[in-house]
Amino acid sequence: MLSVPEADGGEQMKTILEVQDLKKYFKTSRGILHAVDGVSFKLNVGETLGVVGESGCGKSTLGRTVLHLTEPTDGRILFDGEDITDCSKQHLKELRRRMQIIFQDPFASLDPRKSVREIIEEPLKIYHMFPDREEKRRYVNQLMDTVGLAQRFGSLYPHELDGGRRQRVGIARALALEPDFIVCDEPVSALDVSIQAQVLNLLQDLQEERGLTYMFVTHDLSVVKHIATHIMVMYLGQMVEYADADELFENPLHPYTQALLSAVPVPDVDRKRERIILRGEISSPVDPKPGCRFSPRCIRCTEKCSNTGIHLEEVKPGHFVSCMEFE
């Protein structure tokens, strides 16, 4: 289990989310797909956990499983010290006020039959907040101002907005119930680069103003570097490395993390970075064999890597890695 860091002065920071050996499997015609396989971590209040990895590694499934948008196969989920792994539907509805999600596709996640104002109002209606109509209207206006949406867009429909404004609607909807924790599921991957920066700055400002805690799911390491306090690297359903964001970028230990970082563009023509090209077959997440799942693509692989179960090891304070070199 990953240890919780301490604040300055030795005071332990409050943990809002703790995941213990979480697993999510899916039945397929070829066998059991291990989408998330034994992931454990702790997330403190006000921090951002960046979850990175290539497409299909299970990072989005992890975020959705934590929120119970898909039910876990095994493991435990603790939110603010409470075990919510097997909570009832009624209790889950209460938790939704504190746990929200911003979806990857700002168009597919918005109801095309509702206007911007109706979309933002919907969670308020579900939870019977602001029975006074005028008070509710003022609150929605305030949310639109918060995320940078002009009032004139309130009567428009999703198809009449560009991608950046649609994502701002999704953010306003997520903020409507004043949550403590938000899963950001690749919230900028579908946006232009200039709009990405605006949305990232907005998310950081909201975090500072409201004390929000994020799980930021992305495949873009250059994005996560600027927003995350800690980074988890996933490969085929498993966590292969976890560390403070600065530590991970300065001292990547797992061969997969090193390969990912080597592909990040460097905005300096005089600085050259050696690109690590991954070769070999990608292991199947369906009924995976024992051993390191990255071993078929690893240039440092030995026979032991393919046959022996690998576990996360704390090689430095707060820096965990799952690699036979550190066993």
Side-chain angles (χ1 to χ4, degrees), residues 261-278:
L261 288 176
S262 76
V264 177
V266 178
D268 187 346
V269 293
D270 297 323
R271 181 182 170 191
K272 294 184 179 180
R273 174 181 285 170
E274 183 182 352
R275 179 71 187 274
I276 301 174
I277 307 296
L278 296 179

Side-chain angles (χ1 to χ4, degrees), residues 93 100 103 109-130 136 139-140 143 158 169 172-174 176-177:
K93 183 179 179 181
Q100 286 291 315
F103 293 97
S109 62
L110 302 179
D111 190 337
R113 299 168 297 179
K114 295 182 182 293
S115 68
V116 167
R117 182 172 295 279
E118 290 171 332
I119 290 170
I120 300 174
E121 282 181 351
E122 189 171 18
L124 305 177
K125 291 180 179 179
I126 293 173
Y127 286 88
H128 307 290
M129 297 174 65
F130 300 105
K136 179 168 62 179
Y139 182 69
V140 172
L143 284 172
V169 176
R173 179 178 60 183
L177 300 177

Side-chain angles (χ1 to χ4, degrees), residues 5 13 42-49 181 207 211-215 227-230 242:
M13 299 176 70
K42 291 181 180 180
L43 182 56
N44 295 323
V45 173
E47 293 184 340
T48 298
L49 173 64
F181 170 66
Q207 185 173 40
L212 294 169
T213 305
Y214 294 145
M215 177 189 289
I227 196 170
T229 49
H230 294 81
Y242 174 96

Side-chain angles (χ1 to χ4, degrees), residues 13 44 50 68 72 85 91 94 112 146 154 166 193 196 200 208 215-216 249 258 270 277 283 313 316 320:
M13 299 176 70
N44 295 323
H68 280 277
T85 311
H91 186 37
E94 295 171 8
T146 299
R166 281 198 289 260
V193 174
Q196 284 185 10
L200 286 174
E208 293 177 7
M215 177 189 289
F216 195 93
F249 273 83
Q258 294 169 355
D270 297 323
I277 307 296
S283 300
E313 296 289 338
K316 293 174 64 178
F320 298 78

Side-chain angles (χ1 to χ4, degrees), residues 11 34-35 44-45 59 64 69 118 133 190 212-213 232 236 255 264 269 294:
E11 181 183 354
H34 292 222
N44 295 323
V45 173
K59 54 189 186 294
R64 290 168 179 264
L69 294 180
E118 290 171 332
R133 211 168 183 179
L212 294 169
T213 305
M232 174 200 303
L236 290 183
V264 177
V269 293
F294 184 64

Side-chain angles (χ1 to χ4, degrees), residues 47-257:
E47 293 184 340
T48 298
L49 173 64
V51 184
V52 301
E54 60 195 62
S55 297
C57 71
K59 54 189 186 294
S60 291
T61 302
L62 174 63
R64 290 168 179 264
T65 305
V66 165
L67 295 180
H68 280 277
L69 294 180
T70 178
E71 291 302 313
T73 301
D74 199 4
R76 297 179 70 204
I77 305 168
L78 289 86
F79 183 73
D80 204 8
E82 178 188 3
D83 191 337
I84 64 169
T85 311
D86 299 309
C87 60
S88 64
K89 288 185 177 180
Q90 181 59 37
H91 186 37
L92 189 58
K93 183 179 179 181
E94 295 171 8
L95 285 170
R96 291 272 186 253
R97 298 187 66 162
R98 301 186 61 195
M99 305 169 70
Q100 286 291 315
I101 185 170
I102 300 169
F103 293 97
Q104 175 179 359
D105 188 340
F107 188 70
S109 62
L110 302 179
D111 190 337
R113 299 168 297 179
K114 295 182 182 293
S115 68
V116 167
R117 182 172 295 279
E118 290 171 332
I119 290 170
I120 300 174
E121 282 181 351
E122 189 171 18
L124 305 177
K125 291 180 179 179
I126 293 173
Y127 286 88
H128 307 290
M129 297 174 65
F130 300 105
D132 181 76
R133 211 168 183 179
E134 189 55 36
E135 189 178 356
K136 179 168 62 179
R137 183 176 182 83
R138 285 197 297 268
Y139 182 69
V140 172
N141 288 343
Q142 181 184 340
L143 284 172
M144 292 179 67
D145 290 340
T146 299
V147 300
L149 275 174
Q151 301 299 314
R152 68 179 186 275
F153 295 118
S155 60
L156 300 183
Y157 290 82
H159 72 274
E160 298 177 284
L161 304 175
D162 59 36
R165 291 193 176 97
R166 281 198 289 260
Q167 193 60 289
R168 290 174 189 269
V169 176
I171 295 172
R173 179 178 60 183
L175 292 173
L177 300 177
E178 299 185 346
D180 301 310
F181 170 66
I182 300 178
V183 172
C184 305
D185 186 10
E186 304 206 39
V188 297
S189 64
L191 307 179
D192 293 338
V193 174
S194 59
I195 306 300
Q196 284 185 10
Q198 294 175 19
V199 173
L200 286 174
N201 290 335
L202 171 62
L203 290 172
Q204 289 179 306
D205 291 342
L206 290 170
Q207 185 173 40
E208 293 177 7
E209 294 168 6
R210 300 175 177 236
L212 294 169
T213 305
Y214 294 145
M215 177 189 289
F216 195 93
V217 175
T218 182
H219 63 272
D220 192 337
L221 279 162
S222 60
V223 166
V224 80
K225 180 180 181 181
H226 298 289
I227 196 170
T229 49
H230 294 81
I231 298 176
M232 174 200 303
V233 182
M234 291 188 67
Y235 185 79
L236 290 183
Q238 295 182 324
M239 185 197 308
V240 296
E241 191 162 1
Y242 174 96
D244 175 83
D246 292 334
E247 165 68 15
L248 189 91
F249 273 83
E250 292 173 7
N251 186 31
L253 297 177
H254 196 280
Y256 179 60
T257 308

